[in-house]
Amino acid sequence: MQLIYEKSIPGRRGVRLPASDVPQAAELPTGLRRSDAPGLPEMSELDVVRHFTNLSRRNFSVDTNFYPLGSCTMKYNAKALEEAAKLFAPFHPMVPLLPQGASFSQGCLGLAYELGACLAEITGMDEVTTQPLAGAHGEMAGIMLIAAYHEAKGSKKKYVVVPDSSHGTNPASAAMVGYEIITVPTAPYGDMDLDKFREVMTDEVAAVMMTCPNTLGLFNPHIKEISDIAHDHDALMYYDGANLNAILGKVRPGDVGFDVIHVNLHKTFGTPHGGGGPGSGPVGVKKQLIPFLPTPRIVKADDGSYAIDTHTHESIGRTAGFFGNFGVMVKAFAYMTMLGRDGLIQVSEQAVLSANYVMSQLKDAFELPYDQTCMHECVFSASRQVKNGVHAIDIAKFLIDKGYHPPTVYFPLIVKEAIMIEPTETESKETLDAFIAIMKEAAELAEKDPAAFSAMPKTMPVTRLDETKAAREQNVCYFGC
Ligand SMILES: *Cc1c(COP(=O)(O)O)cnc(C)c1O
């Protein structure tokens, strides 16, 4: 496929503007004028439309096909949410920060505040900041809050404890804030090994970071016990909210001992994220951590109006420009208000039912290392297929040819050849059945003709790439490098 620059024909135009009838005021100073034309592609309107339409047809999205990417909650993004976000597009993000600006931006401040209040209610926290721009960013902000809390108390803390099933961003965030990481292995039943956990807990532990349900899709029945042990050592409990879709309206992390959480708005509350964005990772905290929240805080006065509070001297500071990724926040707020309390409860119930349905139907075809009722996702292994030389990545490529986005593969790291399937609540039974049939077809092909996989995908502009090279020796420049 040619780049748009390669299609350029000198002198060709898409739009011709009439001659200006406004008198010229003055010449731009020579230093500000360009010496050459900007080098933009010269094309007709139709050629531009075709170029971009054809490019867009190579995109994979939830709007085109099933996207069971485990841990990512790629649910359908209702078009009404986009309409809601559009309503806020004309507002300049600087306005609330200007003198008297808050009076012109009550709607925006109110939305951010009320979104925080809804998230606090859903998660059982006392206050929420909407600033962080993604889950990983929220984790880092959350661990900074925990560090500020311990520091204010004069406690010397050195470690953050994570289970070995944790998402890589958990230990990475803690390490970036300066903690050493202690990793606890997973027991055969699929949860963090409680005895090993007890062994590593000392008064030098600052926090225990957990995802619940964890990345195997399993709910840990010992959460309360774990948080009691952590609190006995004055360690705080951090909840990675990436899997919140599984427990919406069922369990509030704040009620079972968690002190700090982040929520991935772009997972649980619409806006499926692709291509690196956009995201939003609000952080919720219990009372004792409120003084450290990022500045500025949005507060609500007794008369119901909203204002900005910058007098937060213990704050960890600003973690993002303005008030967060506002468009994603609007979509999340619209999502919550459209569904309401009962709707959100139905979301988690349906998500869990769908995952268990897929799991039950594929059990005979693929190895299921932790064979239990799952929550919103299930993790298979391609270990049976590997005996014939077919790996998880080969099954992923097969699915691409069949029009499905592959599940997450090779994560969580504790499952060899992992295939992590998260169907989400927005898919119909017909879609799930079609996917199940294709997965069974993959398992059969791995028995009958394993060599066939090496040529896949066949339907894409590129086939097998050297993924290591693509990551390590990136060259994304087209001109002159
Ligand atoms: C997605 C995810 C994260 C990181 O969130 P981002 O928004 O992608 O930064 C952290 N933990 C788990 C379990 C996740 O699935």
Side-chain angles (χ1 to χ4, degrees), residues 29-225:
T30 22
L32 296 179
R33 266 183 268 157
R34 41 166 90 249
S35 49
D36 307 310
L40 298 173
E42 299 174 76
M43 297 174 80
S44 71
E45 178 175 319
L46 177 57
D47 287 340
V48 173
V49 168
R50 283 209 181 126
H51 179 78
F52 286 108
T53 303
N54 284 320
L55 268 186
S56 77
R57 286 166 60 173
R58 294 189 170 179
N59 274 342
F60 193 100
S61 74
V62 183
D63 282 358
T64 58
N65 295 78
F66 184 42
Y67 208 137
L69 189 65
S71 212
C72 290
T73 316
M74 304 300 282
K75 61 176 69 178
Y76 172 63
N77 184 51
K79 295 299 163 257
L81 308 184
E82 295 298 327
E83 287 299 318
K86 234 190 316 184
L87 295 174
F88 284 79
F91 294 96
H92 194 285
M94 281 299 282
V95 174
L97 300 166
L98 300 174
Q100 281 101 44
S103 61
F104 298 125
S105 33
Q106 285 294 300
C108 297
L109 294 177
L111 185 135
Y113 182 93
E114 299 302 338
L115 171 65
C118 288
L119 289 170
E121 171 65 23
I122 288 169
T123 58
M125 292 287 150
D126 293 316
E127 188 163 325
V128 169
T129 171
T130 57
Q131 271 188 30
L133 302 172
H137 193 195
E139 287 171 37
M140 192 173 155
I143 296 294
M144 285 170 74
L145 291 167
I146 290 172
Y149 166 82
H150 287 308
E151 203 160 294
K153 279 179 62 174
S155 320
K156 293 269 168 288
K157 299 284 191 179
K158 215 170 145 186
Y159 302 105
V160 166
V161 171
V162 299
D164 63 357
S165 61
S166 74
H167 195 265
T169 51
N170 291 190
S173 305
M176 282 182 78
V177 180
Y179 289 110
E180 287 175 43
I181 311 302
I182 299 175
T183 306
V184 180
T186 298
Y189 49 85
D191 294 318
M192 182 167 78
D193 189 315
L194 258 184
D195 294 331
K196 299 258 166 55
F197 172 68
R198 279 200 194 87
E199 281 168 27
V200 303
M201 282 306 293
T202 65
D203 291 347
E204 282 191 307
V205 174
V208 178
M209 296 181 89
M210 299 201 64
T211 311
C212 189
N214 66 9
T215 59
L216 294 167
L218 304 177
F219 189 86
N220 190 326
H222 304 291
I223 280 295
K224 192 74 183 70
E225 209 176 330

Side-chain angles (χ1 to χ4, degrees), residues 349-359 423-427 432:
E349 289 176 350
Q350 183 68 42
V352 170
L353 181 63
S354 296
N356 278 285
Y357 178 63
V358 171
M359 185 177 81
T424 85
E425 72 285 357
T426 55
E427 299 296 336
L432 299 185

Side-chain angles (χ1 to χ4, degrees), residues 129 131-132 137-149 177 283 285 289-295 312-320:
T129 171
Q131 271 188 30
H137 193 195
E139 287 171 37
M140 192 173 155
I143 296 294
M144 285 170 74
L145 291 167
I146 290 172
Y149 166 82
V177 180
V283 169
V285 296
L289 289 133
I290 292 177
F292 310 106
L293 282 172
T295 186
T312 45
H313 64 279
E314 286 187 288
S315 164
I316 58 165
R318 194 183 271 275
T319 53

